[in-house]
Amino acid sequence: MLNFILKRLVQSAIVMLVVALLSFFLFNFVGDPISNMVGQESTTKDMEELRDQLGLNDPFIVQFGRFVVNAVQGDFGISYRLQRPVEDVVAERMPATLELVFVSAIIAILLGVAGGLFTGLKKKHWFSKVILTGSLVGVSLPTFVIGILLIYVFAVKFQILPSFGRGEVVTLDSGWTTGLLTLSGWKAIILPSITLALYQTTLILRIIRSEMLEVMRADFIKFARARGLRQRDINFGHALKNTLIPVITVAGLQIGSLIAFSIITETVFQWPGMGSLFIQAVQFADVPVMSAYLVMVAFFFVMINLIVDLLYFVVDPRLRVEVRG
Amino acid sequence: MSVVDIENLSIEFPTRRGILKAIEGLSFSIEAGEILGVVGESGAGKSLTGNAIVGLLEPPGRVSGGKITLKGRDITHLSENEMRRVRGAEIGVIFQDPLTSLNPLYTVGKQLTQTILTHRNISYSKAKDRAIELLTEVGIPAPELRFDAFPHEFSGGMRQRVVIALALCCDPSLIIADEPTTALDVSVQAQIIALLKDLSRDKGVATMLVTHDMGVIAEAADRVAVIYSGRLVEIGDVRSVIDAPKHPYTRGLMDSIPQIGQNLKYLPNIEGAMPRLDGRPDGCAFNPRCKMVKPVCREEIAALRATENAGQMAACWIYDGGHKYV
């Protein structure tokens, strides 16, 4: 078991390194940050000096090596645009994104599992058909359309929820800012989190449904019924547990992509998170911020995948044996 | 009094093109401590009958007539919840494939205790004692250790023993074993059959043993019922049915068993195939394949009649008026 975790950690480190290399490599071609940073009156000499100062004249390998060594120590350099350390900027923005993703993931998992179970168990019920038709909307409509629609209905028409921002934010001792402790913060997070969660909800819902349909036909379910077990125990114990492996896989990947998708949602709702930070960084060719963002996202993905792999062992005893042996 | 009494049971499937009658006018009973073998080809309705008794017919299949009596209680039309209390408690079921009958994610101990606790109002530790006792009874070595093992840690034969232990959880008076040995290799088959025999003798359990394997029937059953295309064509003591089959179909079945030492170019068989549910001929369903077919066979179905062997009955016009098999 420990062996397995170690092996996965080493793999994760390699993945991170490759992502870092790619992002660093790519972002060296998105534009010249110097021309954005200097004023109109600056001379070529000034620009060259700045370039030297930032180490942009060093060979690529040297630049990358410096980036990695610093990044491991939590130092992602100075943002070209904001002239502040990138890690400070990210630390400011990260709570907003992570809270949004957290709330969305909870919504997606709760609604997805509940809806999937219902539609899987009562496939002929009229409400199942309503859910399934509705879920088609969730899969096919682009996120920003849903966001704008929600803004129109709840912020413009009924004016009960704010259309942008995080609301009132409380700063905790650890420096983490949270909107989840104030009423306006909760109000502000409703629309963006629903927008972000909708696609994932429908995806989880549809997977659970099809897995349920599959499992309910299995012999061991028939045998469980033949033993007179309560339908509740069969549905939520025997059947649901057997659908969990694919659901964990997909839910894990989806939580990763929630972080990535949040770029769009954050833009629509002007949510002050990492997504909007990234968009601004792209427009400004702010390489340190972009690199830091990509490395962070990759880090979350890798960590989630590691957790997913470990969850497999919790759920499925058959895997435990293979690792032991 | 017999443990289970099936009277005139009919099962049908409503389809878009009309109602298909899968089982018609089936009657038999099983005494305590007796093993009734039920044989027939695939699709004859053997498993369907077993499923109907435990109330597990897959919709749209339904019992359209007749009566199922378990220990004097009519269980034909119990509600789903009442039937659930009968299943596992009074009727134990064993399915064909032990590899897929057990939930892979629960330990066998959990599956046993869950079944016991569903039907019995006892403490967990009592249920655990009972589970270990059951594992011992079905011949699983080191039951205390195996209690916490997962199904994949057992061999096929051992898993079938666990399945049998699960069926026995609450001392049922009837066991329906649906092809319990089909998925096992021959030496394990013999062990499982011996186990089933012991259980029915020692505990006085009535057993309905559904199979298409005449060897299993000869080995295990006290009586045998032969089903062809949804109808009972012959029933009687296992020795007399095997040694002196009365119905032409049963006779064909017995003749189809190759004998050791025979040197045959082709295996013997019954010409033709069983008719589909929507393509049964008028009269006896076996008439297109029967070598002794008479005009009346194509018009009317013969009732089950006594033959010259006591207790052996056959549904064939040959026995019209107690005539001998010719």
Side-chain angles (χ1 to χ4, degrees), chain A residues 78-90:
Chain A
I78 310 280
S79 161
Y80 299 158
R81 182 172 65 97
L82 301 166
Q83 298 297 333
R84 292 172 52 206
V86 173
E87 57 272 21
D88 291 356
V89 179
V90 169

Side-chain angles (χ1 to χ4, degrees), chain A residues 219 223 225 227-228 238 242, chain B residues 84 87 100 103 114-115 119:
Chain A
D219 282 354
F223 189 48
R225 293 187 64 204
R227 297 205 304 274
H238 292 257
N242 271 283
Chain B
R84 184 185 67 70
R87 285 199 293 267
T100 54
N103 188 334
Q114 188 182 28
T115 312
H119 295 291

Side-chain angles (χ1 to χ4, degrees), chain B:
Chain B
M1 189 182 71
S2 43
V3 173
V4 67
D5 234 317
I6 313 288
E7 277 171 75
N8 227 356
L9 180 73
S10 297
I11 300 170
E12 63 181 26
F13 287 84
T15 68
R16 240 172 294 170
R17 274 172 288 167
I19 289 171
L20 298 179
K21 292 187 169 8
I23 293 282
E24 277 181 282
L26 192 68
S27 300
F28 61 81
S29 58
I30 312 176
E31 309 289 324
E34 181 186 52
I35 299 181
L36 174 74
V38 177
V39 284
E41 339 184 357
S42 302
K46 312 179 296 279
S47 300
L48 217 51
T49 309
N51 286 346
I53 296 172
V54 285
L56 283 179
L57 279 180
E58 298 275 340
R62 62 180 185 219
V63 173
S64 56
K67 196 169 156 193
I68 302 167
T69 315
L70 183 71
K71 289 197 295 183
R73 178 185 176 203
D74 185 350
I75 59 164
T76 327
H77 297 291
L78 289 186
S79 73
E80 172 52 31
N81 199 38
E82 289 169 314
M83 199 60 219
R84 184 185 67 70
R85 287 169 207 277
V86 173
R87 285 199 293 267
E90 289 169 63
I91 307 177
V93 184
I94 301 164
F95 286 125
Q96 180 172 352
D97 193 348
L99 303 180
T100 54
S101 289
L102 299 170
N103 188 334
L105 303 187
Y106 288 135
T107 62
V108 301
K110 157 93 185 171
Q111 302 191 43
L112 281 162
T113 49
Q114 188 182 28
T115 312
I116 297 167
L117 291 171
T118 301
H119 295 291
R120 295 270 184 277
N121 194 13
I122 55 174
S123 68
Y124 176 79
S125 66
K126 282 236 177 68
K128 185 176 176 178
D129 291 345
R130 170 84 181 126
I132 288 171
E133 189 188 310
L134 280 161
L135 290 175
T136 318
E137 226 167 84
V138 296
I140 285 176
E144 288 87 0
L145 294 174
R146 302 305 259 163
F147 181 85
D148 290 315
F150 286 96
H152 68 267
E153 296 171 285
F154 289 82
S155 69
M158 284 295 153
R159 276 192 233 185
Q160 193 63 306
R161 286 172 193 262
V162 173
V163 169
I164 293 173
L166 278 163
L168 291 174
C169 267
C170 304
D171 288 317
S173 40
L174 172 68
I175 286 184
I176 296 176
D178 193 346
E179 310 251 7
T181 57
T182 308
L184 304 172
D185 65 63
V186 180
S187 57
V188 181
Q189 268 188 18
Q191 295 168 12
I192 296 295
I193 290 169
L195 176 62
L196 281 175
K197 275 168 84 169
D198 289 349
L199 291 171
S200 90
R201 305 277 184 282
D202 299 348
K203 301 191 152 212
V205 184
T207 306
M208 175 177 162
L209 177 63
V210 174
T211 180
H212 59 251
D213 186 337
M214 286 314 257
V216 171
I217 294 286
E219 188 64 40
D222 300 304
R223 283 192 310 140
V224 54
V226 183
I227 296 185
Y228 183 77
S229 192
R231 280 179 178 275
L232 191 61
V233 293
E234 180 158 359
I235 186 166
D237 284 344
V238 68
R239 283 268 63 93
S240 38
V241 172
I242 287 178
D243 294 340
K246 299 301 178 191
H247 193 281
Y249 173 65
T250 321
R251 198 172 207 209
L253 270 188
M254 297 306 159
D255 288 344
S256 302
I257 300 170
Q259 307 292 315
I260 291 176
Q262 262 179 335
N263 202 353
L264 295 170
K265 203 164 178 193
Y266 299 103
L267 288 173
N269 64 352
I270 308 175
E271 293 289 323
M274 198 171 69
R276 290 159 47 101
L277 289 186
D278 56 357
R280 274 192 200 134
D282 286 339
C284 173
F286 188 60
N287 80 55
R289 304 169 77 183
C290 185
K291 285 178 183 150
M292 274 159 253
V293 63
K294 298 194 283 186
V296 64
C297 300
R298 303 195 205 273
E299 282 155 23
E300 255 182 277
I301 299 173
L304 213 56
R305 290 178 169 82
T307 65
E308 74 271 17
N309 278 349
Q312 190 174 358
M313 316 225 321
C316 183
W317 285 112
I318 299 168
Y319 300 97
D320 194 16
H323 292 307
K324 279 182 78 177
Y325 183 52
V326 279

Side-chain angles (χ1 to χ4, degrees), chain A residues 134-142 198-199 202-203 206:
Chain A
S135 77
L136 267 184
V137 178
V139 204
S140 45
L141 272 188
L198 204 60
Y199 179 77
T202 53
L203 202 73
R206 284 174 165 262

Side-chain angles (χ1 to χ4, degrees), chain A residues 38-112:
Chain A
V38 293
Q40 288 197 327
E41 292 88 42
S42 46
T43 60
T44 323
K45 191 165 161 283
D46 291 341
M47 288 170 72
E48 270 315 307
E49 265 172 21
L50 186 57
R51 206 178 285 275
D52 247 357
Q53 204 185 324
L54 292 172
L56 294 176
N57 284 330
D58 296 337
F60 177 77
I61 288 294
V62 175
Q63 285 190 43
F64 179 64
R66 193 162 52 217
F67 171 73
V68 170
V69 169
N70 289 337
V72 169
Q73 296 161 359
D75 175 8
F76 286 92
I78 310 280
S79 161
Y80 299 158
R81 182 172 65 97
L82 301 166
Q83 298 297 333
R84 292 172 52 206
V86 173
E87 57 272 21
D88 291 356
V89 179
V90 169
E92 268 170 35
R93 297 299 197 103
M94 200 158 61
T97 295
L98 288 188
E99 266 176 15
L100 179 62
V101 167
F102 177 72
V103 173
S104 300
I106 301 270
I107 293 176
I109 289 171
L110 285 185
L111 287 185

